[in-house]
Amino acid sequence: MHNTVKRAFLLLFVVGIFVVGTVILGFSFFRNSEEWATHRANAHIYSGGQISAAGTIYDSEGEILAQTKDSKRTYNPDSAVRKATLHAVGDTEGFMSTGVHALFESELTGYNIVSGTYYLEKYGIGNDINLTLDSKVCKTAYNALNGRKGTVGVYNYKTGEIVCMVSCPTYDPENKPDNDTMNSDAYKAAYINKFLSSSFTPGSTFKIVTSACAIENIPDIYERTFDCDGEYEVGETAVICNGKHGKQSFEKALNNSCNSAFAEISIELGKTKLQKTAEKMGLTSSFEVDRVPLSRGTADLSKAVDIDTGWAGIGQYTITANPCMMMTLMGAIANGGTAVEPYYVGSITTPKGFSVYKAKTEYANEISLNADTAEKLTDLLRSNVTDYYGDSSFPDLEMCGKTGTAEVGDDKTGDNAWFAGFSQRVDFPYAIVVLIEDSSSNARQAAIPVANKVLQSIGG
């Protein structure tokens, strides 16, 4: 009897270990099966470590951007389109972290928890991914950058659909340069999507934030006048201006992008209020754009003295901004304070045409902007175009916007040229950001023509 009880307990112990092992195995399978199925050793998906079998990637107009053909991954026949859309489509090696080849690898191969990659093996193709990008608009942006480093982004600020996302330098995925060339200065940071994954000194585009802070904290800001003789003295030093603007209103100071006036305003506001406004308007925050976390900007004024605060208010000092977040902020201003999150993956469908994913409009709570401030900023940004840049710079677009020429250090060949803005046309709800690195020209000369070319190509 005693031996029977011992054997029973031993049997129960063995069964218990088996059950626990089964649970652990099941949990591991559930947790890791996708990674196992899409591992680069899977010959059904990869060839030579590069993805070769997957669904087709389309742009918003049905143009094929990448597909599997004769057991090989091929791209669009136009080399400019291939270069312009590379950071969104991705390379077959997986170096391009923001490309759907890497981000949506399991969806492209048709993997699911029940059947694994069975349908890829059966049909020879995976799920199709439809991007919101218009490849023709992206090509226009790529050509407009004309070999210069930088980024261009455009999105519908009502729906969130990104129609243009270009980052340079880039390369042709079907004619990739050799390793020595890829390691040269010409291709430095080519694998990085600067629109999503980098932050830059914003220069005078940050005066939008300083303006918002002034509107909310200086009751008589519209009645004030500011004198500019070419610099604003702060103790024994000064903030240097880009001209001598004389006596001017708050609106004219923004039109002129007057450093003297905005340094004075910033110091009056103080570093705490200026930093809080930058944070409230999202420039130090991040959200995900199709699984890609945006690079956070910086606005740390904790150690700033008055001269530092003056420089910060014109977008220098420690201030940096992410281009996509800047574009989203433009959309929030256009929307009366409501910020819509951008996205570039529109939908995913199976080989039989069933929808497994469809994007929807989401709101970016990281940006907090009240309607009254948004309305006043819209008027100011519209005034910049009508009274300074000229509507002829953006024919028929009813544009609002702000340029920025950012100093980035003595080791560079030039400044960073920005334009951030949006169209007020009801039938054309697009916001744009343009950044050109190391520009030999100021932002008005360098960034505005690029912005206009890209916007004019939408719908064309």
Side-chain angles (χ1 to χ4, degrees):
M1 182 69 177
H2 182 68
N3 287 336
T4 302
V5 172
K6 286 177 66 177
R7 287 173 184 152
F9 275 116
L10 181 60
L11 182 60
L12 286 173
F13 178 71
V14 172
V15 170
I17 291 176
F18 176 77
V19 170
V20 170
T22 301
V23 170
I24 292 173
L25 179 62
F27 176 76
S28 297
F29 177 80
F30 180 80
R31 183 179 180 182
N32 301 311
S33 59
E34 179 180 331
E35 182 181 347
W36 294 339
T38 57
H39 193 275
R40 291 186 178 268
N42 187 344
H44 294 296
I45 302 175
Y46 298 96
S47 175
Q50 298 188 33
I51 193 168
S52 58
T56 301
I57 302 172
Y58 297 93
D59 80 346
S60 61
E61 301 299 312
E63 187 78 14
I64 293 174
L65 301 180
Q67 65 180 328
T68 294
K69 200 171 183 180
D70 298 327
S71 300
K72 183 182 178 182
R73 204 69 179 153
T74 62
Y75 289 77
N76 188 276
D78 187 327
S79 63
V81 168
R82 295 197 295 266
K83 294 174 184 177
T85 59
L86 178 61
H87 289 87
V89 173
D91 61 319
T92 57
E93 298 166 288
F95 293 145
M96 207 70 66
S97 63
T98 60
V100 296
H101 274 134
L103 288 170
F104 290 82
E105 182 180 50
S106 61
E107 288 87 349
L108 266 177
T109 58
Y111 167 84
N112 68 60
I113 190 68
V114 176
S115 61
T117 58
Y118 169 77
Y119 288 103
L120 180 67
E121 297 172 40
K122 181 178 180 179
Y123 297 109
I125 54 174
N127 295 331
D128 295 335
I129 292 185
N130 303 285
L131 304 184
T132 62
L133 301 182
D134 185 325
S135 59
K136 292 181 180 177
V137 178
C138 293
K139 177 180 176 179
T140 298
Y142 170 75
N143 287 335
L145 285 173
N146 195 28
R148 295 170 292 184
K149 297 178 181 180
T151 186
V152 180
V154 183
Y155 93 132
N156 184 313
Y157 57 75
K158 295 294 184 183
T159 66
E161 297 166 297
I162 299 176
V163 298
C164 176
M165 180 172 68
V166 174
S167 180
C168 288
T170 182
Y171 63 86
D172 185 343
E174 293 201 343
N175 296 284
K176 185 179 177 180
D178 59 34
N179 288 335
D180 288 341
T181 304
M182 286 297 295
N183 290 327
S184 67
D185 287 341
Y187 287 91
K188 186 177 180 180
Y191 292 124
I192 297 174
N193 185 338
K194 296 176 180 179
F195 178 67
L196 300 176
S197 304
S198 296
S199 293
F200 304 85
T201 303
S204 291
T205 56
F206 188 80
K207 287 171 183 170
I208 298 167
V209 175
T210 307
S211 295
C213 191
I215 289 167
E216 295 177 348
N217 292 285
I218 302 177
D220 64 342
I221 188 66
Y222 283 94
E223 285 72 54
R224 295 272 193 96
T225 56
F226 303 89
D227 290 317
C228 172
D229 62 1
E231 64 180 23
Y232 182 72
E233 294 183 1
V234 184
E236 296 181 356
T237 185
V239 172
I240 307 303
C241 195
N242 55 345
K244 295 183 179 181
H245 303 113
K247 185 171 288 189
Q248 59 198 324
S249 66
F250 174 52
E251 179 180 329
K252 287 299 180 186
L254 185 63
N255 290 169
N256 294 326
S257 200
C258 179
N259 289 347
S260 296
F262 274 84
E264 180 180 346
I265 292 168
S266 301
I267 292 169
E268 179 178 342
L269 288 167
K271 63 183 182 182
T272 301
K273 288 180 180 176
L274 192 60
Q275 180 173 327
K276 284 184 176 179
T277 301
E279 293 168 349
K280 187 174 71 170
M281 296 178 77
L283 294 193
T284 62
S285 298
S286 176
F287 53 77
E288 286 193 353
V289 176
D290 291 313
R291 303 177 182 174
V292 182
L294 293 186
S295 172
R296 293 177 184 270
T298 56
D300 183 4
L301 306 185
S302 58
K303 297 180 180 179
V305 295
D306 280 352
I307 186 64
D308 300 328
T309 303
W311 282 111
I314 63 173
Q316 298 288 158
Y317 187 51
T318 62
I319 306 295
T320 62
N322 168 259
C324 182
M325 185 63 84
M326 185 65 80
M327 180 194 72
T328 308
L329 176 58
M330 293 299 99
I333 295 170
N335 270 331
T338 301
V340 173
E341 285 190 1
Y343 63 87
Y344 56 99
V345 175
S347 63
I348 303 173
T349 55
T350 69
K352 291 188 175 182
F354 297 113
S355 176
V356 295
Y357 171 80
K358 187 170 179 59
K360 60 181 180 179
T361 300
E362 304 278 358
Y363 297 98
N365 296 322
E366 293 78 6
I367 295 176
S368 176
L369 184 64
N370 70 57
D372 180 64
T373 302
E375 182 180 0
K376 289 176 179 175
L377 287 174
T378 296
D379 291 340
L380 289 169
L381 296 176
R382 179 69 181 133
S383 174
N384 280 347
V385 176
T386 58
D387 298 342
Y388 190 67
Y389 311 134
D391 265 332
S392 59
S393 297
F394 303 98
D396 303 317
L397 293 181
E398 297 178 26
M399 283 296 292
C400 305
K402 181 74 186 79
T403 56
T405 304
E407 297 178 5
V408 290
D410 296 334
D411 59 332
K412 302 290 183 178
T413 57
D415 299 327
N416 286 351
W418 288 76
F419 177 80
F422 57 90
S423 170
Q424 280 191 301
R425 268 177 42 190
V426 176
D427 64 336
F428 197 79
Y430 293 103
I432 187 170
V433 66
V434 174
L435 165 67
I436 300 172
E437 298 177 76
D438 306 335
S439 175
S440 58
S441 304
N442 64 35
R444 185 176 180 181
Q445 296 168 325
I448 282 182
V450 173
N452 180 58
K453 285 179 183 178
V454 173
L455 292 171
Q456 297 289 350
S457 72
I458 296 174

